[in-house]
């Protein structure tokens, strides 16, 4: 039995906001089918969407289905999700807000789609997999695939085609106890199991009787076969003993080989013991020799270290001797340097006296301060005058720049007024495209960034030679297209969309083949007779891409142009299949119903063109030209004044520069004299410091005494090193003597070891011979053991010894020869028993085995059959009364609704005993007084009658439904005016009684019967 994945929360009580959990509280769609963008907020109960054909009612229903995890196939339209993206766009989205379990809780479900059939799901702005969204939908029991809950336009006829069985299944899912469809499915499965079990029990009983009869006929033949088998069984028992007798022979042989191995092992142990006795002294002498060798190495190491120390002491003593000789040489050098110092002191005193004499003879310089101050005052006066001139010039330049800017603006304005494109852009701006100039200028300045040509705005690319045709074209094409830009590359489209979004300018991408040839339009004779002269796509000139976009977006190739004659004979035009006609006075449009093929017409007055007939303001042009002349004269005067002012400023700056130069020459002379005296004073100071430094040098006697003391100290260190060297030599001699004694002792030990090893080798040869003899005995014993083991394994494989088998072996011969003769005699006796069917025993036993198996299975299936009957009765007691009550409530409401419409109808349950898969709901209706109640079908009722029955059946489900909302699309299609009025009256009466959730319905555009005629 299938179990539901999760129990749904009960959602049958409205909150303070009058909404139920799961109600749709807001829908937002973008680039979906016929809609650019739509946002609507439905009410909490009955919602009707009313409009003519093609107004987008079914598009809204499709958005609800696809936005709530519905598949495109259930709508009966396109089979792929990409087909629902608006034509000319790359992607779109559907956003549906559901009311949660409290008024403050809202669940936002978003589905983003694109033309590549990709979908992205979001809940409350978070991207999630589809299964998470489906869990939310199932929690509210929303079933967009259930025709009693969600009935799209293209599947209205499918509801009438539902069989009674299918109608019962859909009703169980949509209304009543959620356990009803589960119980129904369980009963269907159980009834199938019941039929299968009944058939199985009957077939098994027949088979069991046949098998028992066959076994009774073969019992005599079976007895003779069993006697023969007993003899053969005896032969087999004796054959089992034969390998065990052979095993006993091998066992005796193995015991003998084991005794020989034991004797060889004993001799080997004695040789090994003697070998160990001889080996021990050799090892002891070797260990003693190893210790002696180690002692020799230690003494040698100490001798090496002693030699190393002696070498270091000799090196240090040599270094000290070199330092003593260096100190004596320094004493001789000091004596020579003292004579040179006295000569340098005398020379320094002479240089100092000469410099002091030169400084005393240098004259004192006084700078001309009055001349410098006079020049400074004149420079200040000239700077003030120049600053005033610069300020005046800057003001004049600013004024001139302002006038030139105003002149440029005036000239640009004149140029714009005289430019044809500007006229068209102004026309677009006056009709709502406020930022079309900014968008156009942005495109012109960024054309180098584009990969392919970009056209636009479309109005600038179109040329209509005939002004009358311009009115037709402007009235037929949507206004947003005239201000749009057209790209030929998706990358260019994305660039323009991102940058023109702020200007609110649409961008269209053309992906067709520009070079594809088209058959030119030809006016037929019938069209010419009715006054039709051309088609709307033939009366204007434009780039191929622009023309293709206008034709595809506005269907210009389906709109025709006629003369005044066509205006008079407009009623005859529709028979030529023309659904759109422009004449000098009127615009005619015909539309055909998708269901009844009814044709309706509409007529609109042709308005003059506003975009193609823009004109200039002549008064504004004259004012701009007059202002331009005045500005040019003002600018000429300002430029002359500026030239004079610049000349005066340059003269003042030249005079100021001359005065600066004179003042700098005087100041430089004063600086030069001050620098000369300062250099002289610095030179005298340096010579005084040099003389003082030479006089303060160390005295010769003190330096000599210090060097002699250092030499004596070094000689004392040399004496110490000589004593250390003597001690090391004495120690080295003692170590050499000790090493010689230990080395001779090691040589004596080595001789002893060689003598002991000679005796040891003789004993090793004897031990090797004993070992080889032992290995041979061991290999022979191992070979016997393997043979014994193989015999044991063979005997075990034939038969394992059991107490019963051991007792049987005692009654058989005890030697191999006697046992083989007995086996041959028994085989001959068994072969003397003859019978015709050699497989009789096997057949008898197989058949008996089948009888036992079938008997067990027959008993088990009988019990299962009883259990199945019991379970069906238990489930039926729960399901059928509840279903009958549900159908009775639906039937009562359905009959009452039909009576109020002066017709008759009833809903009954079609019971079929235990065939639960054939149970169904029968809808019987009667729309004429003389008729009889007939089951609802396409054979007995018209399309309108089926529609009325369908909507009233759905209305009857409202009081007992447990879904948050239901949708019915164009339920009134095919109805008469009177039927539609009665439906709307019944819907208004029941509007306040919706208890389960909001109800959506779309209604076709209505016309009175007089208009229809």
């Amino acid at each position: 039995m299938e179990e539901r994945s999760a129990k749904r929360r009960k959602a049958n009580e409205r909150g303070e906001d009058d909404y139920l959990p799961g109600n749709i509280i807001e829908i937002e769609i973008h680039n979906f089918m016929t809609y650019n963008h739509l946002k609507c907020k439905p009410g909490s109960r009955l919602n009707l969407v009313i409009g003519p054909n093609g107004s987008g009612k079914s598009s809204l229903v499709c958005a609800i289905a696809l936005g709530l995890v519905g598949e495109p196939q259930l709508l009966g339209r396109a089979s792929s999700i990409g087909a629902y993206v608006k034509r000319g766009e790359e992607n779109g989205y559907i956003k549906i807000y559901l009311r949660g379990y409290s008024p403050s809780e809202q669940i936002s479900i978003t589905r983003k789609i694109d033309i590549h059939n990709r979908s992205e799901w979001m809940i409350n702005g978070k991207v999630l997999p589809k299964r998470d969204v489906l869990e939310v939908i199932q929690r509210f029991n929303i079933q967009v695939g259930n025709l009693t809950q969600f009935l799209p336009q293209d599947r209205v006829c499918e509801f009438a085609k539902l069989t009674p069985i299918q109608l019962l299944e859909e009703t169980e899912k949509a209304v009543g106890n959620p356990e009803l469809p589960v119980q129904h499915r369980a009963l269907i499965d159980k009834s199938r199991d019941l039929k299968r079990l009944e058939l199985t029990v009957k077939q098994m009983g027949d088979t069991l009787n046949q098998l028992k009869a066959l076994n009774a006929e073969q019992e005599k033949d079976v007895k003779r076969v069993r006697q023969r088998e007993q003899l053969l069984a005896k032969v087999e028992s004796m054959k089992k003993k034969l390998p065990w007798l052979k095993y006993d022979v091998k066992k005796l042989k193995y015991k003998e080989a084991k005794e020989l191995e034991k004797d060889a092992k004993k001799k080997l142990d004695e040789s090994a013991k003697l070998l160990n006795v001889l080996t021990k002294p050799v090892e002891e002498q070797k260990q003693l020799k190893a210790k002696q060798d180690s002692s020799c190495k230690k003494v040698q190491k100490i001798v090496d270290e002693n030699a190393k120390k002696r070498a270091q002491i000799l090196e240090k003593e040599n270094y000290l001797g070199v330092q003593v000789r260096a100190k004596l040489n320094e004493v001789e050098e000091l004596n020579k340097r003292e004579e040179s110092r006295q000569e340098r002191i005398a020379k320094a005193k002479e240089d100092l006296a000469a410099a002091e004499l030169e400084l005393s003879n240098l004259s004192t310089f006084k700078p001309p301060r009055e001349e410098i101050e006079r020049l400074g005052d004149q420079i200040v006066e000239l700077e003030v005058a120049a600053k005033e001139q610069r300020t005046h010039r800057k003001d004049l330049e600013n004024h001139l720049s302002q006038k030139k800017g105003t002149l440029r603006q005036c000239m640009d304005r004149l140029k714009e007024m005289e430019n044809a494109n500007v006229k068209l852009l102004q026309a677009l701006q006056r009709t709502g495209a406020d930022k079309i100039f900014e968008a156009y200028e942005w495109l012109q300045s960024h054309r180098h960034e584009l990969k392919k040509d970009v056209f636009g705005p479309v109005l600038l690319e179109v040329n209509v030679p005939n002004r009358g045709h311009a009115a037709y074209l402007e009235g037929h094409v949507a206004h947003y297209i005239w201000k749009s830009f057209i790209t030929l590359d998706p990358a260019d489209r994305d660039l323009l969309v991102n940058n023109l979004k702020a200007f609110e300018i649409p961008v269209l991408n053309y992906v067709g083949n520009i070079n594809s040839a088209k058959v030119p339009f030809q006016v037929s004779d019938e069209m010419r007779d009715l006054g039709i002269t051309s088609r709307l796509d033939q009366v204007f000139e434009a780039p191929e891409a622009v023309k293709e976009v206008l034709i595809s977006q506005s269907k210009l190739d389906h709109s025709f142009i006629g003369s005044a004659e066509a205006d008079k004979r407009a009623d005859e035009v529709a028979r030529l299949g023309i659904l759109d006609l422009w004449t000098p006075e009127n615009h005619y449009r015909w539309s055909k119903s998708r269901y009844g093929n009814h044709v309706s017409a509409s007529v609109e007055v042709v308005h003059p063109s506003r975009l193609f007939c823009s004109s200039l303001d002549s008064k504004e042009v004259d004012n701009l030209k007059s202002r331009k002349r005045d500005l040019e004269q003002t600018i000429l005067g300002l430029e002359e004044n500026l030239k004079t002012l610049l000349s005066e400023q340059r003269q003042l700056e030249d005079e100021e520069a001359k005065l600066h130069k004179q003042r700098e020459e005087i100041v430089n002379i004063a600086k030069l004299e001050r620098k000369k005296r300062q250099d002289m004073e610095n030179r005298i100071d340096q010579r005084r410091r040099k003389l003082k430094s030479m006089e303060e040098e160390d005295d010769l006697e003190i330096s000599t005494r210090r060097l002699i003391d250092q030499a004596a100290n070094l000689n004392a260190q040399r004496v110490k090193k000589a004593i250390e060297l003597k001690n090391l030599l004495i120690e080295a001699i003692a170590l050499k003597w000790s090493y010689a004694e230990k080395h001779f002792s090691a040589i004596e030990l080595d001789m002893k070891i060689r003598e002991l090893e000679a005796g040891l080798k003789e004993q090793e040869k004897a031990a090797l011979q004993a070992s080889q003899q032992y290995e041979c005995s061991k290999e022979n014993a191992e070979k016997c053991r393997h043979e014994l083991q193989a015999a044991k394994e063979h005997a075990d494989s034939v038969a394992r010894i059991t107490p019963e088998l051991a007792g049987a072996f005692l009654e058989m011969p005890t030697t191999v020869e006697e046992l083989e003769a007995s086996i041959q005699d028994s085989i001959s006796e068994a072969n003397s028993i003859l019978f015709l069917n050699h497989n009789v025993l096997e057949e008898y036993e197989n058949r008996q085995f089948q009888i036992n198996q079938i008997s067990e299975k027959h008993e088990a299936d009988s019990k299962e059959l009883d259990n199945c009957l019991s379970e069906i009765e238990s489930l039926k007691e729960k399901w059928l009364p509840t279903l009958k009550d549900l159908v009775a409530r639906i039937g009562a409401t359905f009959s009452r609704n039909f009576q109020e419409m002066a017709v008759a109808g009833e809903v009954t349950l079609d019971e079929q005993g235990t065939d639960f898969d054939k149970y169904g709901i029968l809808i019987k209706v009667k729309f004429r007084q003389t008729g009889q109640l007939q089951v609802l079908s396409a054979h007995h009722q018209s399309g309108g009658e089926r529609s009325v029955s369908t909507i009233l059946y759905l209305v009857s489900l409202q009081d007992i439904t447990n879904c948050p909302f239901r949708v019915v699309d164009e339920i009134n299609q095919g109805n008469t005016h009177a039927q539609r009025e009665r439906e709307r009256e019944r819907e208004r009466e029941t509007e306040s009684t919706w208890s389960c959730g909001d109800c959506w319905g779309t209604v076709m555009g209505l016309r009175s019967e007089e208009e229809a005629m």
Side-chain angles (χ1 to χ4, degrees):
M1 184 187 299
E2 295 182 359
E3 294 293 339
R4 294 206 168 184
S5 60
K7 292 187 177 180
R8 298 190 296 268
R9 290 183 60 176
K10 199 168 183 180
N12 58 357
E13 295 184 0
R14 295 184 180 272
E16 297 177 356
D17 55 354
D18 200 35
Y19 283 95
L20 284 174
N23 281 173
I24 298 176
I25 58 178
E26 185 177 330
I27 303 174
E28 181 181 348
I29 54 179
H30 181 74
N31 289 341
F32 184 82
M33 295 183 71
T34 59
Y35 291 105
N36 288 333
H37 191 82
L38 172 68
K39 182 184 287 187
C40 65
K41 296 183 178 181
S44 61
R45 293 179 183 268
L46 178 63
N47 294 274
L48 291 179
V49 182
I50 303 175
N53 287 340
S55 60
K57 304 185 301 299
S58 297
S59 300
L60 186 60
V61 173
C62 292
I64 295 174
L66 297 176
L68 295 176
V69 203
E71 297 298 332
Q73 289 79 4
L74 71 86
L75 297 173
R77 290 177 175 243
S79 60
S80 61
I81 191 65
Y84 290 89
V85 179
K86 186 178 180 183
R87 189 173 183 180
E89 301 295 337
E90 292 288 331
N91 50 55
Y93 67 82
I94 307 164
K95 184 182 289 185
I96 297 177
Y97 293 87
L98 300 179
R99 198 263 203 187
Y101 290 101
S102 64
S104 61
E105 181 185 1
Q106 292 186 6
I107 301 173
S108 165
I109 298 176
T110 305
R111 183 177 190 177
K112 295 182 179 179
I113 60 176
D114 59 27
I115 59 175
H116 303 295
N117 298 322
R118 290 192 296 261
S119 293
E120 182 181 11
W121 296 92
M122 303 173 68
I123 296 181
N124 295 330
K126 183 179 180 182
V127 178
L128 293 171
K130 182 180 178 181
R131 63 176 180 274
D132 293 350
V133 182
L134 187 60
E135 289 177 2
V136 174
I137 301 302
Q138 291 175 344
R139 194 166 70 234
F140 293 111
N141 194 29
I142 298 173
Q143 306 173 28
V144 294
N146 190 329
L147 293 180
T148 63
Q149 190 180 125
F150 195 94
L151 193 59
Q153 171 185 344
D154 294 282
R155 299 186 68 192
V156 169
C157 58
E158 291 185 23
F159 186 87
K161 294 179 182 178
L162 288 177
T163 64
I165 297 171
Q166 293 171 333
L167 184 60
L168 174 59
E169 292 176 356
E170 299 296 332
T171 303
E172 284 180 328
K173 294 176 185 177
V175 300
N177 188 344
E179 296 297 325
L180 276 179
V182 179
Q183 293 171 351
H184 190 185
R185 174 52 54 189
L187 284 170
I188 292 173
D189 295 340
K190 290 294 181 182
S191 65
R192 291 173 181 168
D193 293 342
L194 179 65
K195 293 176 182 178
R196 177 180 57 78
L197 288 171
E198 289 175 346
L199 180 61
T200 302
V201 169
K202 182 177 180 303
Q203 291 176 347
M204 283 186 179
D206 296 341
T207 303
L208 196 60
N209 293 332
Q210 292 175 2
L211 293 174
K212 288 180 177 179
L214 289 173
N215 267 13
E217 295 175 358
Q218 294 182 339
E219 286 182 356
K220 291 182 180 180
D221 292 336
V222 169
K223 184 176 181 181
R224 296 179 71 246
V225 169
R226 284 178 175 168
Q227 181 182 356
R228 182 175 184 272
E229 286 185 349
Q230 287 175 357
L231 288 171
L232 294 177
K234 182 180 179 182
V235 170
E236 290 300 321
S237 297
M238 288 188 288
K239 286 182 178 180
K240 291 177 183 178
K241 184 177 181 180
L242 186 61
W244 285 105
L245 288 177
K246 293 179 180 180
Y247 167 74
D248 292 340
V249 174
K250 294 289 184 184
K251 188 175 181 181
L252 182 61
K253 185 178 178 181
Y254 172 70
K255 288 181 178 179
E256 294 175 355
K258 202 68 178 170
E259 289 295 329
L260 292 175
E261 180 187 358
K262 191 180 294 183
D263 294 340
K265 181 69 168 58
K266 185 177 180 182
K267 292 179 180 179
L268 179 62
D269 291 341
E270 291 175 354
S271 297
K273 186 176 181 181
L274 182 58
L275 185 63
N276 288 334
V277 171
L278 295 175
T279 304
K280 189 174 182 182
V282 175
E283 292 298 328
E284 290 176 354
Q285 293 297 322
K286 285 183 178 180
Q287 290 176 3
L288 186 59
K289 183 179 180 298
K291 291 179 180 180
Q292 199 69 25
D293 291 340
S294 176
S295 179
C296 288
K297 289 179 181 179
K298 289 180 181 179
V299 173
Q300 184 62 41
K301 184 177 180 181
I302 295 171
V303 170
D304 294 340
E305 289 178 357
N306 183 278
K308 187 177 180 181
K309 289 179 181 180
R310 282 185 282 121
Q312 290 175 352
I313 290 173
L314 284 173
E315 184 179 356
K316 186 68 174 175
E317 193 278 332
N318 291 333
Y319 174 73
L320 293 173
V322 171
Q323 285 188 328
V324 169
R325 287 190 293 273
K327 296 298 180 183
L328 296 175
N329 291 334
E330 285 182 14
V331 172
E332 292 178 359
E333 184 66 23
L334 282 175
N335 293 329
K336 295 177 181 179
R337 285 168 54 188
E338 179 61 22
E339 295 175 0
S340 175
R341 186 173 72 88
Q342 294 299 330
E343 293 175 358
R344 285 186 287 111
I345 290 173
K347 182 67 172 62
K349 288 180 179 179
E350 291 176 0
D351 291 342
L352 179 59
E356 289 175 346
L357 179 60
E358 186 180 355
L359 179 60
S360 62
N361 294 333
L362 187 64
S363 60
T364 304
F365 176 78
K366 293 183 179 180
R369 296 186 179 278
E370 294 179 356
E371 182 67 16
I372 293 173
E373 290 176 357
R374 181 182 65 78
L375 290 173
D377 293 339
Q378 291 179 1
I379 289 171
V380 170
E381 291 175 0
L382 290 173
E383 286 178 347
V384 172
K387 185 176 181 181
E388 291 176 356
Q389 290 285 4
R390 282 195 293 271
T391 302
H392 188 197
R393 179 173 65 85
K394 187 175 181 181
D395 294 339
L396 195 61
E397 287 175 346
N398 291 337
H399 190 202
L400 178 62
S401 177
Q402 291 175 359
K403 291 297 181 183
K404 286 182 177 180
T406 306
L407 178 61
R408 281 195 301 274
Q409 292 176 359
C410 184
M411 294 174 69
D412 292 342
R413 181 61 179 160
L414 277 172
K415 188 176 180 180
E416 290 175 0
M417 295 292 288
E418 293 171 359
N419 192 326
N421 285 347
V422 174
K423 296 178 185 177
L424 297 176
L425 292 173
Q426 288 174 342
L428 286 173
Q429 193 177 46
R430 286 195 296 272
T431 56
D434 298 331
K435 298 182 180 180
I436 190 65
F437 277 98
E438 291 85 342
Y440 182 75
E441 290 172 0
W442 184 93
L443 176 62
Q444 301 308 316
S445 61
H446 291 81
R447 280 192 180 274
H448 63 281
E449 300 178 11
L450 304 174
K451 296 182 178 179
K452 293 185 179 180
D453 292 338
V454 175
F455 304 98
V458 172
L459 183 63
L460 274 62
E461 308 291 343
V462 176
N463 179 32
V464 187
N466 188 323
R467 291 300 176 187
H469 294 164
Y472 302 162
L473 189 62
E474 181 179 339
H476 196 87
V477 177
H479 180 264
Y480 80 91
I481 294 180
W482 294 117
K483 63 180 180 179
S484 300
F485 289 87
I486 298 175
T487 63
L488 303 180
D489 186 86
D492 294 343
R493 186 269 317 276
D494 295 339
L495 178 64
L496 264 67
V497 167
N498 292 333
N499 290 279
L500 300 184
K501 187 182 296 182
F503 305 138
E504 300 179 351
I505 301 299
V507 179
L508 305 175
N509 187 50
Y510 176 69
V511 295
N513 186 6
I514 296 179
N515 300 321
S516 61
K518 290 189 176 182
V519 179
F521 170 72
Q522 298 291 336
V523 179
S524 66
D525 294 336
E526 291 179 316
M527 293 181 181
R528 195 175 288 106
D529 293 339
L530 292 176
I532 297 174
T533 60
S534 182
R535 203 168 63 187
L536 197 54
D537 62 330
Q538 307 292 319
V539 300
F540 69 94
E541 301 171 354
E544 192 65 26
V546 177
K547 198 165 187 176
E548 287 296 326
V549 170
L550 286 172
I551 292 172
S552 63
Q553 292 288 326
S554 303
K555 298 184 178 179
L556 300 181
D557 54 348
H558 293 81
S559 181
F560 294 80
I561 299 174
S563 61
E565 180 65 20
D567 202 351
K568 296 177 183 178
R569 302 175 64 182
D571 293 334
E572 301 178 34
V573 172
R575 64 183 174 81
L576 298 180
I578 296 174
L579 301 178
D580 195 281
L581 176 66
W582 291 86
T583 66
E585 300 294 334
N586 298 307
H587 178 205
Y588 296 90
R589 285 185 292 184
W590 292 270
S591 61
K592 185 180 290 184
S593 172
R594 295 175 60 184
Y595 310 104
N597 290 328
H598 304 295
V599 178
S600 59
S602 64
V603 183
E604 297 177 355
V605 177
V606 177
H607 298 286
S609 173
R610 294 187 300 165
L611 298 177
F612 291 97
C613 300
S614 302
S615 60
L616 294 175
D617 189 347
S618 58
K619 184 176 180 181
E620 184 180 358
V621 173
D622 294 339
N623 290 338
L624 288 171
K625 289 181 178 179
S626 175
R627 188 178 180 191
K628 176 187 173 185
R629 287 192 296 272
D630 294 341
L631 288 170
E632 287 174 346
Q633 292 176 0
T634 304
I635 289 170
L636 286 174
L638 290 172
E639 287 178 345
E640 289 296 328
N641 293 339
L642 185 60
K643 289 179 182 179
T644 304
L645 195 61
L646 283 171
S647 177
E648 293 176 356
Q649 182 180 345
R650 288 196 194 95
Q651 185 177 358
L652 290 173
E653 289 175 349
D654 291 343
E655 292 178 1
E656 182 183 352
K658 289 178 182 179
L659 293 174
H660 272 294
K661 186 176 181 181
Q662 292 176 9
R663 189 174 66 173
E664 285 177 1
E665 289 176 353
I666 296 170
V667 171
N668 287 339
I669 292 170
K671 287 182 179 179
L672 187 60
E673 290 296 330
R674 283 199 300 271
K675 186 174 183 301
K676 184 177 179 182
R677 176 174 287 276
Q678 188 175 2
D679 291 344
M680 185 65 69
E681 292 173 351
N682 290 338
R683 190 162 58 251
I684 292 170
D685 187 56
Q686 288 177 357
R687 290 178 179 178
R688 284 176 181 169
R689 287 200 300 271
K690 183 178 179 182
L691 179 60
K692 185 177 180 182
S693 175
M694 287 188 293
E695 290 176 346
E696 290 178 353
E697 289 182 2
D698 290 343
D699 187 69
L700 176 62
E701 185 179 354
I702 296 172
S703 300
T704 302
R705 190 182 304 115
R706 185 174 65 250
L707 290 172
I708 291 171
D709 292 340
Q710 290 176 356
N713 188 23
L714 292 171
N715 282 327
Q717 292 181 21
R718 291 178 67 192
V719 172
K720 290 181 180 180
K721 294 298 179 184
I723 295 170
E724 291 178 3
L725 181 60
K726 174 188 174 184
N727 295 333
L728 287 173
L729 286 171
I730 295 170
E731 183 183 355
I733 293 169
L735 289 172
K736 287 286 186 179
W737 183 260
S738 175
Y739 175 77
E741 290 178 347
K742 293 180 182 296
H743 185 63
F744 285 129
S745 177
I747 292 172
E748 291 177 357
L749 289 172
D750 190 39
M751 293 297 293
K752 290 180 180 180
I753 290 171
R754 289 178 183 177
E755 292 175 358
L756 291 173
E757 284 179 346
L760 182 62
K761 285 181 180 180
E762 293 295 331
Q763 185 58 38
E764 283 178 351
K765 290 179 181 179
L768 180 60
Q769 291 176 357
S771 174
Q772 290 174 350
Q773 186 178 0
Y774 170 71
E775 289 296 329
C776 291
S777 302
K778 186 177 180 182
E779 288 176 3
N780 186 38
E782 186 67 19
K783 180 180 177 182
C784 293
R785 188 183 67 79
H786 282 301
E787 291 177 355
L788 177 65
Q789 185 177 0
K792 178 71 165 58
E793 289 175 356
H794 175 64
D796 284 337
S797 65
V798 174
R800 288 188 176 275
I801 300 297
T802 61
E804 295 82 6
L805 192 60
F809 282 175
L810 293 174
E811 298 175 359
M812 298 178 188
T814 57
T815 63
V816 175
E817 292 78 6
E818 292 175 354
L819 186 61
E820 288 177 347
S822 180
I823 289 171
Q824 191 62 39
D825 293 342
S826 298
I827 291 173
S828 300
E829 185 178 358
N831 290 335
S832 64
I833 300 174
L834 300 176
F835 48 86
L836 297 176
N837 187 0
H838 294 276
N839 298 324
V840 64
L841 181 60
E842 182 180 357
E843 292 175 359
Y844 180 86
E845 290 178 348
N846 289 339
R847 199 176 293 117
Q848 189 63 39
F849 180 74
Q850 290 179 7
I851 290 171
N852 296 334
Q853 279 192 327
I854 292 173
S855 298
E856 293 175 1
K857 187 71 170 63
H858 184 267
E859 184 178 355
D861 287 348
S862 299
K863 291 181 180 179
E864 188 177 355
L865 179 61
D866 295 338
N867 293 336
C868 187
L869 285 169
S870 176
E871 290 177 3
I872 288 174
E873 289 300 323
S874 176
L875 280 172
K876 187 176 179 181
E877 289 175 0
K878 297 178 183 177
W879 173 72
L880 190 57
T882 306
L883 181 61
K884 285 181 178 179
D885 179 63
L886 176 65
V887 175
R889 290 166 63 188
I890 296 172
T893 306
F894 186 79
S895 300
R896 184 172 64 253
N897 291 340
F898 260 68
Q899 288 174 3
E900 293 176 358
M901 295 179 64
V903 290
E906 67 177 15
V907 176
T908 59
L909 178 65
D910 184 16
E911 299 184 39
Q912 297 292 333
T914 59
D915 292 334
F916 298 102
D917 55 341
K918 297 180 181 179
Y919 275 61
I921 289 181
L922 299 177
I923 300 177
K924 296 181 180 180
V925 295
K926 180 180 75 172
F927 285 90
R928 285 165 285 280
Q929 294 293 335
T930 59
Q932 299 292 328
L933 285 171
Q934 298 287 346
V935 176
L936 183 66
S937 67
H939 301 291
H940 299 99
Q941 287 84 22
S942 65
E945 291 170 347
R946 293 199 305 274
S947 297
V948 170
S949 304
T950 299
I951 187 60
L952 291 182
Y953 183 78
L954 296 178
V955 167
S956 302
L957 302 180
Q958 296 303 311
D959 294 336
I960 52 178
T961 189
N962 61 358
C963 61
F965 65 86
R966 61 169 34 86
V967 179
V968 184
D969 188 11
E970 289 201 3
I971 192 58
N972 61 342
Q973 56 177 301
N975 292 6
T976 64
H977 180 72
Q979 288 172 336
R980 294 176 181 175
E981 289 298 327
R982 286 198 295 271
E983 284 181 10
R984 286 204 297 276
E985 180 180 356
R986 180 57 187 153
E987 289 165 358
R988 285 193 296 269
E989 290 175 359
T990 59
E991 178 181 358
S992 62
T993 65
W994 301 111
S995 63
C996 66
D998 56 350
C999 182
W1000 286 75
T1002 66
V1003 183
M1004 295 172 59
L1006 305 177
R1007 293 184 293 121
S1008 65
E1009 294 180 359
E1010 293 78 13
E1011 290 176 344
M1013 297 176 62

